[in-house]
Amino acid sequence: MADREAAYRQRRYEMVGQLRRYGIVSPRVLEAFRHVERHRFFAPADRAFAYEDAAFPIGFGQTISQPYTVAYMTSLLDERCPPSGNILEIGTGSGYQAAILDSMGYCVYTVERVPGLFSRAAGVFRELGLDIAQRLGDGSLGWEEHAPYDGIIVTAAAPEPPPSLLDQLADNGVLVIPVGGSEGQRMTVFTRNGDRFEQEIFLAFSFVPLIGKEGWREE
Ligand code: SAM
């Protein structure tokens, strides 16, 4: 048991070395990846794959994103947000991205539309003693009750930035979201300045769709 945990730790540190080689430089982000036990967000039978640099299926047609993608989005958010700000994540999935943000000291809210993923993530948060607020529902509409947010991170692809999410940003708050269709998306950051939004466009990615009223329609 102790040997297995030591092996996971070794692989986690190797993963962090690889993130660094890929250009992730933030000490806060790298420390979170060292700290959060990614294998705990995988089914026991799949844990051998937890530290591969790849997305992995988590059931219900969904995936846990590749470590580099999580680190890249987290860095875009962290460079622009106050260190212990309020962050809303859309697309809880396995819960890993939310746990990374939590370990960095953010106050994290997360929304998932698939009941099976919502309750599995709740179980993992409970086991790990993480205080992350969860909601089951259509995250394309945000979570108005806790707005405004210093940052919103969407881990599924949208055709356009959902107006409800832009509305729920604090002044100077940022929305990090992959924008585009099934052929691929560009990671995009929208920064609120009063009633205006500055847009910055970054690398190309391939995400599962954000399905909801202000996302894609379910097929
Ligand atoms: N952040 C996740 C993690 O760390 O494992 C990975 C997310 S996975 C790439 C995208 C997630 O977005 C899926 O779990 C999917 O069910 C969810 N999703 C898609 N549309 C959604 C919506 N409108 N509201 C909330 N969640 C949504």
Side-chain angles (χ1 to χ4, degrees), residues 62-63 89 91-94 97 112-114 117 138-139 155 209 211:
Q62 305 302 325
T63 54
E89 180 204 22
T92 313
S94 69
Q97 170 78 75
E112 173 57 56
R113 69 181 284 274
V114 176
L117 293 175
D138 177 6
T155 62
I211 295 172

Side-chain angles (χ1 to χ4, degrees), residues 131-142:
D131 183 18
I132 292 173
Q134 284 183 273
R135 191 169 83 83
L136 177 65
D138 177 6
S140 72
L141 303 175

Side-chain angles (χ1 to χ4, degrees), residues 151-212:
I152 301 179
I153 188 164
V154 182
T155 62
E160 302 284 345
S164 296
L165 298 186
L166 293 173
D167 269 358
Q168 290 173 29
L169 286 177
D171 203 20
N172 298 314
V174 293
L175 169 64
V176 179
I177 181 168
V179 177
S182 54
E183 69 292 348
Q185 310 95 33
R186 298 295 294 268
M187 194 58 68
T188 309
V189 176
F190 296 88
T191 304
R192 180 170 207 156
N193 189 345
D195 290 337
R196 302 185 52 192
F197 294 90
E198 181 198 326
Q199 180 180 353
E200 300 167 272
I201 298 175
F202 295 92
L203 296 183
F205 286 91
S206 181
F207 275 82
V208 295
L210 178 77
I211 295 172

Side-chain angles (χ1 to χ4, degrees), residues 7-65:
Y8 283 136
R9 187 175 324 111
Q10 168 74 24
R11 297 205 53 202
R12 197 155 60 249
Y13 279 42
E14 287 165 10
M15 174 185 77
V16 170
Q18 189 171 46
L19 291 175
R20 214 196 281 274
R21 286 194 293 283
Y22 285 172
I24 303 296
V25 293
S26 159
R28 265 168 65 77
V29 174
L30 294 170
E31 181 51 33
F33 277 76
R34 230 176 263 122
H35 176 75
V36 177
E37 297 178 327
R38 185 170 157 96
H39 61 279
R40 302 289 291 266
F41 299 84
F42 282 61
D46 296 332
R47 287 185 176 169
F49 300 99
Y51 295 101
E52 304 284 313
D53 189 36
F56 195 84
I58 53 173
F60 308 93
Q62 305 302 325
T63 54
I64 177 170
S65 304

